[in-house]
């Protein structure tokens, strides 16, 4: 197959969908690999490294895409790039299926598009789970950003001039990003507590040395929150939840929020009133900023101060800030996923494979995800993302 890796055009997106290591494996399997000139430079991967691995380097983006059998991308290509793809081409990446306006176009062009955010959280899918690999990086970077804006030390320090107290960190949402944030904050010496709507995460939180804070729940609410993914809860529960979070945030120096609901705006966990109750100099890093924010005052893509001096950090796409390792992990995820499609006989899209079927959002002229999906694929619209 002719596999191509375009440079990412989205502002601030420094990752690349392949590395010399994955290119070498694809070339060894008999595939031709072409990388757009400069695609890996921001991830510390120069063109010479791809050439040494056996890839070709292309200067003409549209011609490269038009000749592709398989396109490996980080984000959804622009409309003009998508239009260049030939019928039967395969597009694989994080294609934002819940907000992707190009789905009808991809279907009309008979492109087979795979959105890897839709991979189910199963043991078999772990090695291709792009959300887990990238959210792990985001959780780590969130703590480093908090340390950048926090005007004090994070660990307790005993000095000749006196003792400095350890920072208190509160992590809201105990998915992959939240767990990494807890672990990183602990390594840097903070006193950490965490909250998640799922009581079952208590054991994970405590295993990392943090304290789990919990909203009292009825049996019905416990049943609703017992799954792998966070769900929307009742209005009464949200009132109790927000009161507890406001109380804990007021005592915290650093708050990191990670809560997301698939296909919907991020749940509001911190109101303007809760922020007003926090200490001057404290920091909120909102990892849900791109989905509307867990904090009412978050501005996506910005870092600003609240009227009472709380740092509100809504910077987005934190994995791209660590582009070298983010690209390395992401490229391995994609290479593993390609193993489901590439056989000795060529490309095979097996709709009986649960991972293939879950991620395939357009195929053979049909849109398979969203409101326009055919009935047989309508259940895909309810497939949860995970963070």
């Amino acid at each position: 197959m002719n596999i191509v890796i375009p440079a990412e055009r989205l502002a601030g997106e420094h990752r690349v969908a392949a590395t010399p290591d994955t290119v070498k494996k694809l070339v060894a399997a008999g595939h031709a690999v072409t990388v757009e000139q400069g695609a890996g430079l921001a991830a510390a991967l120069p063109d010479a490294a791809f050439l040494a691995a056996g890839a070709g380097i292309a200067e003409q983006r549209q011609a490269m895409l038009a000749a592709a059998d398989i396109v490996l991308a980080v984000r959804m290509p622009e409309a003009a790039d998508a239009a260049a793809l030939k019928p039967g081409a395969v597009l694989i990446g994080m294609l934002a299926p819940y907000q992707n306006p190009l789905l009808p176009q991809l279907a009309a062009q008979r492109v087979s598009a795979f959105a890897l955010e839709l991979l189910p959280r199963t043991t078999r899918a772990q090695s291709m789970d792009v959300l887990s690999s990238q959210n792990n990086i985001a959780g780590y970077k969130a703590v480093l950003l908090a340390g950048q804006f926090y005007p004090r030390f994070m660990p307790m320090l005993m000095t000749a001039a006196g003792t400095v107290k350890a920072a208190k960190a509160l992590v809201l949402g105990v998915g992959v990003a939240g767990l990494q944030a807890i672990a990183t904050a602990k390594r840097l010496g903070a006193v950490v507590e965490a909250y998640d709507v799922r009581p079952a995460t208590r054991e994970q939180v405590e295993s990392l040395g943090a304290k789990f804070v919990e909203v009292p729940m009825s049996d019905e609410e416990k049943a609703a929150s017992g799954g792998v993914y966070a769900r929307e809860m009742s209005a009464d529960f949200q009132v109790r939840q927000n009161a507890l979070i406001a109380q804990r945030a007021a005592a915290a120096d650093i708050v990191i929020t990670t809560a997301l609901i698939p296909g919907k705006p991020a749940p509001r966990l911190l109101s303007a009133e809760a922020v007003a109750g926090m200490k001057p100099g404290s920091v909120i890093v909102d990892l849900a900023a791109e989905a509307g924010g867990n904090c009412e005052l978050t501005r996506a893509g910005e870092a600003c101060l609240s009227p009472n001096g709380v740092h509100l950090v809504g910077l987005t796409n934190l994995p791209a800030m660590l582009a070298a390792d983010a690209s390395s992990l992401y490229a391995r995820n994609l290479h593993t996923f390609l193993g489901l499609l590439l056989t000795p006989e060529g490309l095979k899209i097996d709709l009986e494979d649960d991972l293939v079927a879950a991620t395939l959002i357009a195929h053979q002229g049909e849109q398979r995800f969203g409101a326009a999906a055919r009935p047989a694929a309508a259940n895909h619209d309810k497939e949860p993302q995970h963070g």
Side-chain angles (χ1 to χ4, degrees):
M1 307 299 292
N2 181 23
I3 301 172
V4 308
I5 296 92
E8 298 297 318
R9 294 287 180 86
L10 184 69
E13 184 53 79
H14 303 307
R15 292 171 290 182
V16 63
T19 64
D21 286 342
T22 59
V23 166
K24 190 179 298 184
K25 292 174 183 177
L26 292 170
V27 171
H31 306 292
V33 180
T34 304
V35 179
E36 185 177 1
Q37 187 177 50
L41 198 56
L45 297 170
D47 292 343
F50 287 108
L51 283 170
I57 301 297
E59 297 182 16
Q60 301 297 322
R61 182 181 179 91
Q62 295 298 307
M64 176 190 74
L65 290 168
D69 297 314
I70 298 173
V71 177
L72 302 182
V74 177
R75 300 290 194 111
M76 180 67 203
E78 298 172 346
D81 294 332
L85 301 178
K86 65 185 180 182
V90 172
L91 173 63
I92 305 172
M94 293 188 291
L95 305 185
Y98 292 100
Q99 303 91 21
N100 192 332
L102 299 183
L103 270 182
Q105 176 184 334
L106 293 172
Q109 291 177 225
R110 303 187 70 80
V111 171
S112 294
F114 292 89
L116 296 191
E117 304 98 312
L118 298 178
L119 275 167
R121 177 163 284 178
T122 62
T123 301
R124 180 169 171 252
Q126 282 182 348
S127 59
M128 19 184 134
D129 188 345
V130 296
L131 288 182
S132 289
S133 73
Q134 302 305 295
N135 285 334
N136 193 39
I137 293 170
Y140 169 80
K141 185 63 176 178
V143 177
L144 300 189
L145 280 174
Q148 176 183 331
F149 286 92
Y150 184 54
R152 298 179 176 87
F153 284 112
M154 201 171 292
M156 182 183 77
L157 293 178
M158 299 179 69
T159 75
T163 300
V164 177
K165 292 182 180 179
K168 295 180 180 179
L170 171 65
V171 177
L172 302 178
V174 187
V176 175
L179 288 169
Q180 182 57 250
I182 293 168
T184 303
K186 286 291 293 182
R187 285 194 293 267
L188 291 177
V191 176
V192 185
E193 58 184 21
Y195 167 76
D196 195 288
V197 70
R198 301 162 297 166
T201 60
R202 173 191 288 272
E203 184 177 347
Q204 294 172 296
V205 169
E206 293 177 346
S207 72
L208 292 172
K211 177 185 176 183
F212 185 76
V213 295
E214 187 172 5
V215 179
M217 302 175 75
S218 67
D219 291 341
E220 183 179 347
E221 288 169 339
K222 287 179 181 178
S225 64
V228 174
Y229 306 97
R231 310 288 191 197
E232 284 187 291
M233 302 297 285
S234 69
D236 177 64
F237 176 84
Q238 289 177 16
V239 169
R240 285 180 278 132
Q241 170 186 261
N242 293 344
L244 175 69
I245 289 172
Q247 178 192 49
R248 302 317 305 156
D253 300 300
I254 293 169
V255 179
I256 294 173
T257 72
T258 72
L260 289 166
I261 297 173
K264 297 185 179 181
R268 282 289 162 80
L269 302 179
L270 285 168
S271 65
E273 291 77 12
V275 176
M278 294 176 65
K279 294 175 285 190
S282 55
V283 182
I284 298 170
V285 180
D286 193 338
L287 291 184
E290 201 167 6
N294 295 141
C295 175
E296 183 179 352
L297 301 182
T298 298
R299 299 177 188 171
E302 298 182 25
C304 58
L305 273 174
S306 74
N308 62 315
V310 176
H311 295 274
L312 304 165
V313 184
L315 302 180
T316 57
N317 198 6
L318 270 58
M321 297 180 186
L322 295 170
D325 280 338
S327 297
S328 177
L329 297 175
Y330 182 76
R332 291 177 207 167
N333 292 149
L334 261 63
H335 181 264
T336 305
F337 183 80
L338 274 174
L340 304 178
L341 307 177
L342 297 176
T343 71
E345 293 75 36
L347 179 69
K348 180 182 179 182
I349 297 177
D350 181 7
L351 298 181
E352 298 301 314
D353 186 306
D354 62 320
L355 304 186
V356 171
T359 53
L360 187 60
I361 59 174
H363 183 54
Q364 294 183 342
E366 294 180 322
Q367 184 175 330
R368 294 174 52 87
F369 187 91
R374 59 194 175 99
N379 62 321
H380 286 203
D381 196 36
K382 300 174 184 176
E383 185 70 42
Q385 297 181 56
H386 45 280

